[in-house]
Amino acid sequence: MIFKLFLIFFKIGSFSIGGGYAIMPLIQEQVVNQQHWITEKTFTDIITISQMTPGPLVVNSSTFVGMQISGPLGAIVATFGSIIGGIIISIILYNFFAKYKSSQYVFQVLNSLKASSLGLIMSAGFTMLLLAFFNNSDFRAISSIKNIDIIAVLIAISSLFIIRKFKINPIIMMIITGFAGLFVYA
């Protein structure tokens, strides 16, 4: 199990472009949909906790997923697996780009990778939106308006408005909405 955990996170870390939210659909596909190690709800909770803790989202998510699956050793293995591939690839790419930095082809490849990263980030955001508003990441959940969590929608819209209008620190906003959720859903 530990070796499989390492291989999955090594693959995720090695083949994810964009990091952060762009990697979330890859982690979800592997640990929720294919391996069934954790539920969608647990995965959403992991994303939320990973956002609130210091450090990169990918590292935090890998650590929390590994901890859920195999305890402290799983956390270490998943974290190491998710970063070692990126380290190796970064060293190779640095040498490559240093050699071909003025190539038009390299520039076009980078533009394509940026577009792909944006699509992955949007996919992760859409999945989070579905889970927050419909408690389900299946697109078909939208088909019935009766499934929508009105309170979650109101909290999201209020948070967006308050952060944009009053420039409140996002950490303070998360604390406030966390308490709001505690009172509303308790």
Side-chain angles (χ1 to χ4, degrees), residues 69-170:
I69 296 167
S70 295
L73 181 60
I76 292 168
V77 167
T79 302
F80 182 72
S82 70
I83 62 173
I84 192 65
I87 291 170
I88 294 167
I89 291 170
S90 293
I91 292 168
I92 293 168
L93 287 176
Y94 171 78
N95 290 325
F96 176 81
F97 287 128
K99 186 174 180 180
Y100 299 105
K101 61 184 170 193
S102 61
S103 170
Q104 187 64 23
Y105 296 113
V106 170
F107 179 76
Q108 294 302 325
V109 167
L110 290 176
N111 277 342
S112 297
L113 291 175
K114 282 187 241 177
S116 175
S117 293
L118 176 61
L120 290 170
I121 291 167
M122 290 172 67
S123 173
F126 192 69
T127 298
M128 289 178 64
L129 183 127
L130 287 174
L131 286 168
F133 295 166
F134 296 95
N135 291 320
N136 191 335
S137 68
D138 187 356
F139 185 71
R140 291 171 288 193
I142 296 175
S143 65
S144 178
I145 196 74
K146 69 179 180 166
N147 295 339
I148 195 164
D149 184 345
I150 298 297
I151 294 171
V153 172
L154 291 174
I155 288 173
I157 291 170
S158 300
S159 298
L160 179 65
F161 174 77
I162 291 169
I163 285 176
R164 298 304 241 168
K165 175 81 174 167
F166 301 107
K167 307 291 187 225
I168 289 181
N169 185 318

